[in-house]
């Protein structure tokens, strides 16, 4: 079984595509995600920054859609 996480948010900057010395594609970007929850009957919101790194074909797939 494979674990899946679906994140929805905003990019903080354009993704960066680079290659390792062995020519493996790597794309990195940061995603800003709003998280809201109720604490003591008050609606509280928090902004969370998630660093994401994609490798190989996923890295090349992400770049045209996120740029």
């Amino acid at each position: 079984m494979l674990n899946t996480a679906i994140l929805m948010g905003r990019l903080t900057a354009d993704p960066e595509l680079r290659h390792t010395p062995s020519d493996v594609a790597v794309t990195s970007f940061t995603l800003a995600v709003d998280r809201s929850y109720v604490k003591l009957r008050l609606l509280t919101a928090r902004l969370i920054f998630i660093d994401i790194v994609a490798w190989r074909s996923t890295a090349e797939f992400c770049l045209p859609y996120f740029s």
Side-chain angles (χ1 to χ4, degrees):
M1 179 176 234
L2 182 69
N3 294 329
T4 302
I6 299 172
L7 301 171
M8 292 176 42
R10 296 178 303 278
L11 291 174
T12 60
D14 287 336
E16 175 187 333
L17 176 66
R18 58 188 187 281
H19 289 84
T20 64
S22 59
D23 203 35
V24 175
V26 180
T27 300
S28 58
F29 54 93
T30 301
L31 194 64
V33 178
D34 290 320
R35 179 177 178 251
S36 57
Y37 55 93
V38 177
K39 183 177 182 181
L40 299 175
R41 293 190 194 171
L42 296 174
L43 182 62
T44 306
R46 178 177 284 177
L47 187 61
I48 300 172
F49 295 94
I50 301 171
D51 294 325
I52 299 173
V53 178
W55 292 82
R56 294 182 177 82
S57 61
T58 305
E60 294 172 350
F61 176 80
C62 290
L63 195 63
Y65 294 102
F66 295 165
S67 295

